[in-house]
Amino acid sequence: MRVFAHRTREPGARRTSRSWLRRSAAALSLALLSPLAVAVVGTTAPTAQAAFNPSGIDFWVDSSMGPIKSRVFRANDGNTNRVVYALDGLRARDDLNGWEIDTNVVVELQKWNINVVMPVGGQCSFYSDWIAPSNFFGIGTGSSSGSATGSSGAVGQRNTYTWETFLTQNLRFALRDRLGFNPNRNGIFGLSMGGSAALTMAAYHPDQFSYAGSFSGYLNVSAPGMKEAMRLAFLTQNGFNIDAMWGPPWDPRWLRNDPFVFAPRLKAQNTRLYIAAGSGIPGVYDQPRSFVDLYNTANGMGLEAISLANTKAFQLRMASLGYGNVVYDFPPVGTHSWPWWADNVYRMIPDLSNYIG
């Protein structure tokens, strides 16, 4: 087990850290009550703004949600054995994956001769199989098909999200059959919502994923207050009804999708993990130049503080299980925003390269 970026702190510094965490948690509570709360799940600071990488191909696959697009980037050496999936965050768009829009990490992954698969769409999905279309009192909300352009936020969600099935069956075997990609010992990583989902995919589909990375993930979704916070976040994102995902708070699906709970699966399968979260303290990428920037940075501070608390709880859980096949990456600064997640990927790539294919 390796841990990055720890610093020894004096007692006064620990008190300051705890005080910062309390203030950041309060910021999250305020943010979640605001109509713009989830804006931070996009980008809150200047970044590469790659937007579109012409080396990628549009790879369409049929599913129960309708045809779903992924963006596929081939490894520089042309191999088909080394594959990683990159999962988006809560505000996933229907045209491109956020990793392509807001970062250039795919270029570095290609240099390491890794094929990159970026599913497109799935806002608020947690890349899970839902129990019903999102609706309130029979009135549908959210995405009607999953990733058809323009469907995001469409009233009348006709099809139930089945993202886990899509990633582990439809897309997996279409990549094998049409591109020759290895369907086994793949990697998967994601930010925020996608970080939680990456661990879920690895836990329940170990033959497909031998490596999973979570950046600012919510890794203890059954913790007190998390379900309520997630419900508010879903409502602010085009009015999604979280009960359509895993049912009411007492439904066992919540436990099934909680990394803290299914951690023993990861240990039993010896899944290699890369687990990262920032401190919530602004750094070089967080330089607000307007009120909107300031607001987004405040949101990013609060959301990252909650993610850090979740991630630390997961770390303690893994330690209690005696599991050490993990790299923990806790930089001293960093908010819930794309430049910090891109840095996570750059630090992760050498380790990822050793455990896939």
PDB file of all heavy atoms in Angstrom, residues 158-188:
ATOM      1  N   ARG A 158     -38.559   7.817 -20.970  1.00  0.00           N
ATOM      2  CA  ARG A 158     -39.282   6.627 -21.409  1.00  0.00           C
ATOM      3  C   ARG A 158     -38.595   5.342 -20.986  1.00  0.00           C
ATOM      4  O   ARG A 158     -39.249   4.338 -20.755  1.00  0.00           O
ATOM      5  CB  ARG A 158     -39.438   6.647 -22.934  1.00  0.00           C
ATOM      6  CG  ARG A 158     -40.255   7.808 -23.463  1.00  0.00           C
ATOM      7  CD  ARG A 158     -40.418   7.722 -24.975  1.00  0.00           C
ATOM      8  NE  ARG A 158     -39.142   7.776 -25.677  1.00  0.00           N
ATOM      9  CZ  ARG A 158     -38.536   8.928 -26.028  1.00  0.00           C
ATOM     10  NH1 ARG A 158     -39.098  10.090 -25.710  1.00  0.00           N
ATOM     11  NH2 ARG A 158     -37.384   8.910 -26.669  1.00  0.00           N
ATOM     12  N   ASN A 159     -37.285   5.346 -20.923  1.00  0.00           N
ATOM     13  CA  ASN A 159     -36.532   4.119 -20.698  1.00  0.00           C
ATOM     14  C   ASN A 159     -35.792   4.161 -19.373  1.00  0.00           C
ATOM     15  O   ASN A 159     -35.209   5.188 -18.999  1.00  0.00           O
ATOM     16  CB  ASN A 159     -35.529   3.900 -21.834  1.00  0.00           C
ATOM     17  CG  ASN A 159     -36.202   3.807 -23.184  1.00  0.00           C
ATOM     18  OD1 ASN A 159     -37.245   3.176 -23.315  1.00  0.00           O
ATOM     19  ND2 ASN A 159     -35.615   4.447 -24.183  1.00  0.00           N
ATOM     20  N   THR A 160     -35.792   3.056 -18.686  1.00  0.00           N
ATOM     21  CA  THR A 160     -35.079   2.950 -17.422  1.00  0.00           C
ATOM     22  C   THR A 160     -33.579   2.881 -17.678  1.00  0.00           C
ATOM     23  O   THR A 160     -33.123   2.167 -18.568  1.00  0.00           O
ATOM     24  CB  THR A 160     -35.529   1.679 -16.670  1.00  0.00           C
ATOM     25  OG1 THR A 160     -36.944   1.731 -16.476  1.00  0.00           O
ATOM     26  CG2 THR A 160     -34.838   1.564 -15.324  1.00  0.00           C
ATOM     27  N   TYR A 161     -32.796   3.619 -16.903  1.00  0.00           N
ATOM     28  CA  TYR A 161     -31.346   3.518 -16.998  1.00  0.00           C
ATOM     29  C   TYR A 161     -30.896   2.074 -16.743  1.00  0.00           C
ATOM     30  O   TYR A 161     -31.300   1.454 -15.746  1.00  0.00           O
ATOM     31  CB  TYR A 161     -30.691   4.394 -15.937  1.00  0.00           C
ATOM     32  CG  TYR A 161     -30.456   5.838 -16.302  1.00  0.00           C
ATOM     33  CD1 TYR A 161     -30.371   6.808 -15.286  1.00  0.00           C
ATOM     34  CD2 TYR A 161     -30.267   6.266 -17.604  1.00  0.00           C
ATOM     35  CE1 TYR A 161     -30.111   8.142 -15.577  1.00  0.00           C
ATOM     36  CE2 TYR A 161     -30.014   7.579 -17.905  1.00  0.00           C
ATOM     37  CZ  TYR A 161     -29.942   8.518 -16.889  1.00  0.00           C
ATOM     38  OH  TYR A 161     -29.684   9.830 -17.184  1.00  0.00           O
ATOM     39  N   THR A 162     -30.045   1.563 -17.599  1.00  0.00           N
ATOM     40  CA  THR A 162     -29.422   0.244 -17.392  1.00  0.00           C
ATOM     41  C   THR A 162     -27.933   0.352 -17.707  1.00  0.00           C
ATOM     42  O   THR A 162     -27.391  -0.387 -18.528  1.00  0.00           O
ATOM     43  CB  THR A 162     -30.082  -0.837 -18.277  1.00  0.00           C
ATOM     44  OG1 THR A 162     -30.081  -0.398 -19.653  1.00  0.00           O
ATOM     45  CG2 THR A 162     -31.506  -1.117 -17.829  1.00  0.00           C
ATOM     46  N   TRP A 163     -27.270   1.277 -17.042  1.00  0.00           N
ATOM     47  CA  TRP A 163     -25.883   1.575 -17.378  1.00  0.00           C
ATOM     48  C   TRP A 163     -24.917   0.467 -16.965  1.00  0.00           C
ATOM     49  O   TRP A 163     -23.925   0.213 -17.652  1.00  0.00           O
ATOM     50  CB  TRP A 163     -25.475   2.914 -16.765  1.00  0.00           C
ATOM     51  CG  TRP A 163     -25.884   4.048 -17.635  1.00  0.00           C
ATOM     52  CD1 TRP A 163     -27.026   4.805 -17.540  1.00  0.00           C
ATOM     53  CD2 TRP A 163     -25.181   4.535 -18.786  1.00  0.00           C
ATOM     54  NE1 TRP A 163     -27.072   5.734 -18.555  1.00  0.00           N
ATOM     55  CE2 TRP A 163     -25.953   5.591 -19.330  1.00  0.00           C
ATOM     56  CE3 TRP A 163     -23.998   4.189 -19.416  1.00  0.00           C
ATOM     57  CZ2 TRP A 163     -25.558   6.306 -20.463  1.00  0.00           C
ATOM     58  CZ3 TRP A 163     -23.596   4.886 -20.543  1.00  0.00           C
ATOM     59  CH2 TRP A 163     -24.376   5.941 -21.059  1.00  0.00           C
ATOM     60  N   GLU A 164     -25.163  -0.174 -15.838  1.00  0.00           N
ATOM     61  CA  GLU A 164     -24.259  -1.260 -15.453  1.00  0.00           C
ATOM     62  C   GLU A 164     -24.310  -2.385 -16.483  1.00  0.00           C
ATOM     63  O   GLU A 164     -23.269  -2.905 -16.897  1.00  0.00           O
ATOM     64  CB  GLU A 164     -24.613  -1.788 -14.066  1.00  0.00           C
ATOM     65  CG  GLU A 164     -23.659  -2.876 -13.588  1.00  0.00           C
ATOM     66  CD  GLU A 164     -23.870  -3.291 -12.157  1.00  0.00           C
ATOM     67  OE1 GLU A 164     -24.573  -2.572 -11.409  1.00  0.00           O
ATOM     68  OE2 GLU A 164     -23.329  -4.349 -11.763  1.00  0.00           O
ATOM     69  N   THR A 165     -25.513  -2.747 -16.897  1.00  0.00           N
ATOM     70  CA  THR A 165     -25.654  -3.767 -17.937  1.00  0.00           C
ATOM     71  C   THR A 165     -24.999  -3.317 -19.235  1.00  0.00           C
ATOM     72  O   THR A 165     -24.318  -4.105 -19.909  1.00  0.00           O
ATOM     73  CB  THR A 165     -27.144  -4.070 -18.177  1.00  0.00           C
ATOM     74  OG1 THR A 165     -27.703  -4.639 -16.992  1.00  0.00           O
ATOM     75  CG2 THR A 165     -27.327  -5.041 -19.335  1.00  0.00           C
ATOM     76  N   PHE A 166     -25.166  -2.051 -19.578  1.00  0.00           N
ATOM     77  CA  PHE A 166     -24.569  -1.547 -20.810  1.00  0.00           C
ATOM     78  C   PHE A 166     -23.052  -1.670 -20.785  1.00  0.00           C
ATOM     79  O   PHE A 166     -22.425  -2.169 -21.734  1.00  0.00           O
ATOM     80  CB  PHE A 166     -24.976  -0.098 -21.045  1.00  0.00           C
ATOM     81  CG  PHE A 166     -24.285   0.543 -22.224  1.00  0.00           C
ATOM     82  CD1 PHE A 166     -24.640   0.205 -23.513  1.00  0.00           C
ATOM     83  CD2 PHE A 166     -23.267   1.465 -22.038  1.00  0.00           C
ATOM     84  CE1 PHE A 166     -23.993   0.766 -24.615  1.00  0.00           C
ATOM     85  CE2 PHE A 166     -22.617   2.041 -23.115  1.00  0.00           C
ATOM     86  CZ  PHE A 166     -22.980   1.692 -24.407  1.00  0.00           C
ATOM     87  N   LEU A 167     -22.423  -1.220 -19.693  1.00  0.00           N
ATOM     88  CA  LEU A 167     -20.961  -1.214 -19.620  1.00  0.00           C
ATOM     89  C   LEU A 167     -20.372  -2.614 -19.541  1.00  0.00           C
ATOM     90  O   LEU A 167     -19.286  -2.871 -20.091  1.00  0.00           O
ATOM     91  CB  LEU A 167     -20.508  -0.404 -18.404  1.00  0.00           C
ATOM     92  CG  LEU A 167     -20.795   1.103 -18.433  1.00  0.00           C
ATOM     93  CD1 LEU A 167     -20.437   1.736 -17.101  1.00  0.00           C
ATOM     94  CD2 LEU A 167     -20.031   1.781 -19.560  1.00  0.00           C
ATOM     95  N   THR A 168     -21.067  -3.520 -18.873  1.00  0.00           N
ATOM     96  CA  THR A 168     -20.488  -4.839 -18.613  1.00  0.00           C
ATOM     97  C   THR A 168     -20.971  -5.921 -19.574  1.00  0.00           C
ATOM     98  O   THR A 168     -20.443  -7.035 -19.542  1.00  0.00           O
ATOM     99  CB  THR A 168     -20.802  -5.280 -17.166  1.00  0.00           C
ATOM    100  OG1 THR A 168     -22.228  -5.348 -16.989  1.00  0.00           O
ATOM    101  CG2 THR A 168     -20.219  -4.288 -16.172  1.00  0.00           C
ATOM    102  N   GLN A 169     -21.939  -5.591 -20.426  1.00  0.00           N
ATOM    103  CA  GLN A 169     -22.401  -6.560 -21.417  1.00  0.00           C
ATOM    104  C   GLN A 169     -22.427  -5.945 -22.823  1.00  0.00           C
ATOM    105  O   GLN A 169     -21.617  -6.310 -23.676  1.00  0.00           O
ATOM    106  CB  GLN A 169     -23.789  -7.096 -21.033  1.00  0.00           C
ATOM    107  CG  GLN A 169     -23.786  -7.904 -19.739  1.00  0.00           C
ATOM    108  CD  GLN A 169     -25.145  -8.484 -19.412  1.00  0.00           C
ATOM    109  OE1 GLN A 169     -25.902  -8.884 -20.291  1.00  0.00           O
ATOM    110  NE2 GLN A 169     -25.474  -8.534 -18.126  1.00  0.00           N
ATOM    111  N   ASN A 170     -23.339  -4.999 -23.052  1.00  0.00           N
ATOM    112  CA  ASN A 170     -23.507  -4.453 -24.405  1.00  0.00           C
ATOM    113  C   ASN A 170     -22.211  -3.869 -24.951  1.00  0.00           C
ATOM    114  O   ASN A 170     -21.736  -4.261 -26.030  1.00  0.00           O
ATOM    115  CB  ASN A 170     -24.600  -3.388 -24.412  1.00  0.00           C
ATOM    116  CG  ASN A 170     -25.915  -3.847 -23.828  1.00  0.00           C
ATOM    117  OD1 ASN A 170     -26.375  -3.312 -22.828  1.00  0.00           O
ATOM    118  ND2 ASN A 170     -26.535  -4.847 -24.444  1.00  0.00           N
ATOM    119  N   LEU A 171     -21.638  -2.903 -24.229  1.00  0.00           N
ATOM    120  CA  LEU A 171     -20.433  -2.226 -24.705  1.00  0.00           C
ATOM    121  C   LEU A 171     -19.229  -3.146 -24.674  1.00  0.00           C
ATOM    122  O   LEU A 171     -18.426  -3.180 -25.615  1.00  0.00           O
ATOM    123  CB  LEU A 171     -20.179  -0.974 -23.872  1.00  0.00           C
ATOM    124  CG  LEU A 171     -18.945  -0.147 -24.236  1.00  0.00           C
ATOM    125  CD1 LEU A 171     -18.982   0.307 -25.692  1.00  0.00           C
ATOM    126  CD2 LEU A 171     -18.824   1.062 -23.303  1.00  0.00           C
ATOM    127  N   ARG A 172     -19.096  -3.889 -23.596  1.00  0.00           N
ATOM    128  CA  ARG A 172     -17.936  -4.783 -23.435  1.00  0.00           C
ATOM    129  C   ARG A 172     -17.775  -5.721 -24.629  1.00  0.00           C
ATOM    130  O   ARG A 172     -16.682  -5.817 -25.207  1.00  0.00           O
ATOM    131  CB  ARG A 172     -18.107  -5.585 -22.149  1.00  0.00           C
ATOM    132  CG  ARG A 172     -17.020  -6.620 -21.913  1.00  0.00           C
ATOM    133  CD  ARG A 172     -17.383  -7.529 -20.757  1.00  0.00           C
ATOM    134  NE  ARG A 172     -16.305  -8.430 -20.403  1.00  0.00           N
ATOM    135  CZ  ARG A 172     -16.404  -9.375 -19.459  1.00  0.00           C
ATOM    136  NH1 ARG A 172     -17.538  -9.535 -18.797  1.00  0.00           N
ATOM    137  NH2 ARG A 172     -15.371 -10.157 -19.192  1.00  0.00           N
ATOM    138  N   PHE A 173     -18.838  -6.382 -25.004  1.00  0.00           N
ATOM    139  CA  PHE A 173     -18.726  -7.395 -26.048  1.00  0.00           C
ATOM    140  C   PHE A 173     -18.807  -6.803 -27.451  1.00  0.00           C
ATOM    141  O   PHE A 173     -18.295  -7.397 -28.409  1.00  0.00           O
ATOM    142  CB  PHE A 173     -19.757  -8.499 -25.818  1.00  0.00           C
ATOM    143  CG  PHE A 173     -19.489  -9.260 -24.547  1.00  0.00           C
ATOM    144  CD1 PHE A 173     -20.403  -9.237 -23.501  1.00  0.00           C
ATOM    145  CD2 PHE A 173     -18.310  -9.960 -24.379  1.00  0.00           C
ATOM    146  CE1 PHE A 173     -20.144  -9.912 -22.321  1.00  0.00           C
ATOM    147  CE2 PHE A 173     -18.037 -10.641 -23.198  1.00  0.00           C
ATOM    148  CZ  PHE A 173     -18.958 -10.620 -22.163  1.00  0.00           C
ATOM    149  N   ALA A 174     -19.408  -5.608 -27.581  1.00  0.00           N
ATOM    150  CA  ALA A 174     -19.338  -4.919 -28.874  1.00  0.00           C
ATOM    151  C   ALA A 174     -17.909  -4.483 -29.166  1.00  0.00           C
ATOM    152  O   ALA A 174     -17.427  -4.582 -30.308  1.00  0.00           O
ATOM    153  CB  ALA A 174     -20.279  -3.713 -28.875  1.00  0.00           C
ATOM    154  N   LEU A 175     -17.198  -4.030 -28.152  1.00  0.00           N
ATOM    155  CA  LEU A 175     -15.789  -3.671 -28.330  1.00  0.00           C
ATOM    156  C   LEU A 175     -14.959  -4.891 -28.705  1.00  0.00           C
ATOM    157  O   LEU A 175     -14.052  -4.817 -29.544  1.00  0.00           O
ATOM    158  CB  LEU A 175     -15.245  -3.036 -27.048  1.00  0.00           C
ATOM    159  CG  LEU A 175     -15.760  -1.634 -26.713  1.00  0.00           C
ATOM    160  CD1 LEU A 175     -15.417  -1.274 -25.266  1.00  0.00           C
ATOM    161  CD2 LEU A 175     -15.182  -0.601 -27.666  1.00  0.00           C
ATOM    162  N   ARG A 176     -15.278  -6.021 -28.095  1.00  0.00           N
ATOM    163  CA  ARG A 176     -14.564  -7.256 -28.437  1.00  0.00           C
ATOM    164  C   ARG A 176     -14.851  -7.684 -29.873  1.00  0.00           C
ATOM    165  O   ARG A 176     -13.932  -7.996 -30.641  1.00  0.00           O
ATOM    166  CB  ARG A 176     -14.982  -8.364 -27.469  1.00  0.00           C
ATOM    167  CG  ARG A 176     -14.309  -9.720 -27.739  1.00  0.00           C
ATOM    168  CD  ARG A 176     -15.040 -10.859 -27.055  1.00  0.00           C
ATOM    169  NE  ARG A 176     -16.404 -11.034 -27.598  1.00  0.00           N
ATOM    170  CZ  ARG A 176     -17.293 -11.893 -27.094  1.00  0.00           C
ATOM    171  NH1 ARG A 176     -16.984 -12.644 -26.051  1.00  0.00           N
ATOM    172  NH2 ARG A 176     -18.496 -11.987 -27.645  1.00  0.00           N
ATOM    173  N   ASP A 177     -16.131  -7.693 -30.241  1.00  0.00           N
ATOM    174  CA  ASP A 177     -16.525  -8.259 -31.526  1.00  0.00           C
ATOM    175  C   ASP A 177     -16.198  -7.340 -32.702  1.00  0.00           C
ATOM    176  O   ASP A 177     -15.867  -7.824 -33.798  1.00  0.00           O
ATOM    177  CB  ASP A 177     -18.021  -8.562 -31.523  1.00  0.00           C
ATOM    178  CG  ASP A 177     -18.400  -9.638 -30.505  1.00  0.00           C
ATOM    179  OD1 ASP A 177     -17.494 -10.368 -30.048  1.00  0.00           O
ATOM    180  OD2 ASP A 177     -19.594  -9.722 -30.140  1.00  0.00           O
ATOM    181  N   ARG A 178     -16.253  -6.030 -32.487  1.00  0.00           N
ATOM    182  CA  ARG A 178     -16.075  -5.104 -33.601  1.00  0.00           C
ATOM    183  C   ARG A 178     -14.680  -4.501 -33.684  1.00  0.00           C
ATOM    184  O   ARG A 178     -14.214  -4.127 -34.763  1.00  0.00           O
ATOM    185  CB  ARG A 178     -17.136  -3.998 -33.517  1.00  0.00           C
ATOM    186  CG  ARG A 178     -18.540  -4.527 -33.830  1.00  0.00           C
ATOM    187  CD  ARG A 178     -19.654  -3.677 -33.232  1.00  0.00           C
ATOM    188  NE  ARG A 178     -19.577  -2.266 -33.604  1.00  0.00           N
ATOM    189  CZ  ARG A 178     -20.400  -1.336 -33.103  1.00  0.00           C
ATOM    190  NH1 ARG A 178     -21.344  -1.681 -32.232  1.00  0.00           N
ATOM    191  NH2 ARG A 178     -20.269  -0.078 -33.483  1.00  0.00           N
ATOM    192  N   LEU A 179     -13.999  -4.373 -32.552  1.00  0.00           N
ATOM    193  CA  LEU A 179     -12.659  -3.785 -32.553  1.00  0.00           C
ATOM    194  C   LEU A 179     -11.587  -4.761 -32.091  1.00  0.00           C
ATOM    195  O   LEU A 179     -10.390  -4.441 -32.142  1.00  0.00           O
ATOM    196  CB  LEU A 179     -12.627  -2.533 -31.666  1.00  0.00           C
ATOM    197  CG  LEU A 179     -13.506  -1.354 -32.086  1.00  0.00           C
ATOM    198  CD1 LEU A 179     -13.335  -0.191 -31.107  1.00  0.00           C
ATOM    199  CD2 LEU A 179     -13.179  -0.900 -33.505  1.00  0.00           C
ATOM    200  N   GLY A 180     -11.987  -5.914 -31.615  1.00  0.00           N
ATOM    201  CA  GLY A 180     -11.023  -6.889 -31.128  1.00  0.00           C
ATOM    202  C   GLY A 180     -10.467  -6.590 -29.756  1.00  0.00           C
ATOM    203  O   GLY A 180      -9.451  -7.182 -29.344  1.00  0.00           O
ATOM    204  N   PHE A 181     -11.111  -5.688 -29.011  1.00  0.00           N
ATOM    205  CA  PHE A 181     -10.599  -5.308 -27.692  1.00  0.00           C
ATOM    206  C   PHE A 181     -10.718  -6.475 -26.709  1.00  0.00           C
ATOM    207  O   PHE A 181     -11.716  -7.206 -26.691  1.00  0.00           O
ATOM    208  CB  PHE A 181     -11.364  -4.110 -27.140  1.00  0.00           C
ATOM    209  CG  PHE A 181     -10.904  -2.777 -27.670  1.00  0.00           C
ATOM    210  CD1 PHE A 181     -10.061  -2.683 -28.761  1.00  0.00           C
ATOM    211  CD2 PHE A 181     -11.320  -1.599 -27.064  1.00  0.00           C
ATOM    212  CE1 PHE A 181      -9.644  -1.456 -29.254  1.00  0.00           C
ATOM    213  CE2 PHE A 181     -10.913  -0.360 -27.546  1.00  0.00           C
ATOM    214  CZ  PHE A 181     -10.076  -0.290 -28.636  1.00  0.00           C
ATOM    215  N   ASN A 182      -9.706  -6.609 -25.870  1.00  0.00           N
ATOM    216  CA  ASN A 182      -9.704  -7.588 -24.796  1.00  0.00           C
ATOM    217  C   ASN A 182     -10.862  -7.280 -23.834  1.00  0.00           C
ATOM    218  O   ASN A 182     -10.921  -6.187 -23.274  1.00  0.00           O
ATOM    219  CB  ASN A 182      -8.362  -7.517 -24.065  1.00  0.00           C
ATOM    220  CG  ASN A 182      -8.257  -8.490 -22.921  1.00  0.00           C
ATOM    221  OD1 ASN A 182      -9.096  -9.357 -22.725  1.00  0.00           O
ATOM    222  ND2 ASN A 182      -7.186  -8.351 -22.138  1.00  0.00           N
ATOM    223  N   PRO A 183     -11.784  -8.232 -23.578  1.00  0.00           N
ATOM    224  CA  PRO A 183     -12.895  -7.954 -22.665  1.00  0.00           C
ATOM    225  C   PRO A 183     -12.566  -8.234 -21.205  1.00  0.00           C
ATOM    226  O   PRO A 183     -13.424  -8.061 -20.333  1.00  0.00           O
ATOM    227  CB  PRO A 183     -13.976  -8.921 -23.159  1.00  0.00           C
ATOM    228  CG  PRO A 183     -13.217 -10.099 -23.660  1.00  0.00           C
ATOM    229  CD  PRO A 183     -11.942  -9.534 -24.251  1.00  0.00           C
ATOM    230  N   ASN A 184     -11.349  -8.668 -20.925  1.00  0.00           N
ATOM    231  CA  ASN A 184     -10.943  -9.046 -19.567  1.00  0.00           C
ATOM    232  C   ASN A 184      -9.759  -8.204 -19.105  1.00  0.00           C
ATOM    233  O   ASN A 184      -9.023  -7.636 -19.901  1.00  0.00           O
ATOM    234  CB  ASN A 184     -10.566 -10.527 -19.519  1.00  0.00           C
ATOM    235  CG  ASN A 184     -11.704 -11.419 -19.970  1.00  0.00           C
ATOM    236  OD1 ASN A 184     -12.831 -11.287 -19.503  1.00  0.00           O
ATOM    237  ND2 ASN A 184     -11.418 -12.315 -20.906  1.00  0.00           N
ATOM    238  N   ARG A 185      -9.610  -8.122 -17.786  1.00  0.00           N
ATOM    239  CA  ARG A 185      -8.507  -7.385 -17.158  1.00  0.00           C
ATOM    240  C   ARG A 185      -8.405  -5.954 -17.693  1.00  0.00           C
ATOM    241  O   ARG A 185      -7.323  -5.451 -17.965  1.00  0.00           O
ATOM    242  CB  ARG A 185      -7.170  -8.127 -17.340  1.00  0.00           C
ATOM    243  CG  ARG A 185      -7.094  -9.416 -16.529  1.00  0.00           C
ATOM    244  CD  ARG A 185      -5.680  -9.983 -16.516  1.00  0.00           C
ATOM    245  NE  ARG A 185      -4.692  -9.021 -16.001  1.00  0.00           N
ATOM    246  CZ  ARG A 185      -4.484  -8.774 -14.708  1.00  0.00           C
ATOM    247  NH1 ARG A 185      -5.203  -9.395 -13.788  1.00  0.00           N
ATOM    248  NH2 ARG A 185      -3.562  -7.912 -14.334  1.00  0.00           N
ATOM    249  N   ASN A 186      -9.552  -5.315 -17.822  1.00  0.00           N
ATOM    250  CA  ASN A 186      -9.591  -3.898 -18.179  1.00  0.00           C
ATOM    251  C   ASN A 186      -9.433  -3.054 -16.926  1.00  0.00           C
ATOM    252  O   ASN A 186      -9.564  -3.530 -15.796  1.00  0.00           O
ATOM    253  CB  ASN A 186     -10.919  -3.533 -18.844  1.00  0.00           C
ATOM    254  CG  ASN A 186     -11.203  -4.291 -20.134  1.00  0.00           C
ATOM    255  OD1 ASN A 186     -12.341  -4.373 -20.544  1.00  0.00           O
ATOM    256  ND2 ASN A 186     -10.189  -4.849 -20.778  1.00  0.00           N
ATOM    257  N   GLY A 187      -9.161  -1.761 -17.128  1.00  0.00           N
ATOM    258  CA  GLY A 187      -9.198  -0.791 -16.046  1.00  0.00           C
ATOM    259  C   GLY A 187     -10.441   0.063 -16.162  1.00  0.00           C
ATOM    260  O   GLY A 187     -11.067   0.145 -17.229  1.00  0.00           O
ATOM    261  N   ILE A 188     -10.799   0.726 -15.059  1.00  0.00           N
ATOM    262  CA  ILE A 188     -11.923   1.659 -15.070  1.00  0.00           C
ATOM    263  C   ILE A 188     -11.666   2.717 -14.012  1.00  0.00           C
ATOM    264  O   ILE A 188     -11.183   2.416 -12.925  1.00  0.00           O
ATOM    265  CB  ILE A 188     -13.260   0.917 -14.815  1.00  0.00           C
ATOM    266  CG1 ILE A 188     -14.453   1.861 -14.999  1.00  0.00           C
ATOM    267  CG2 ILE A 188     -13.279   0.229 -13.449  1.00  0.00           C
ATOM    268  CD1 ILE A 188     -15.802   1.152 -15.063  1.00  0.00           C
TER     269      ILE A 188
END
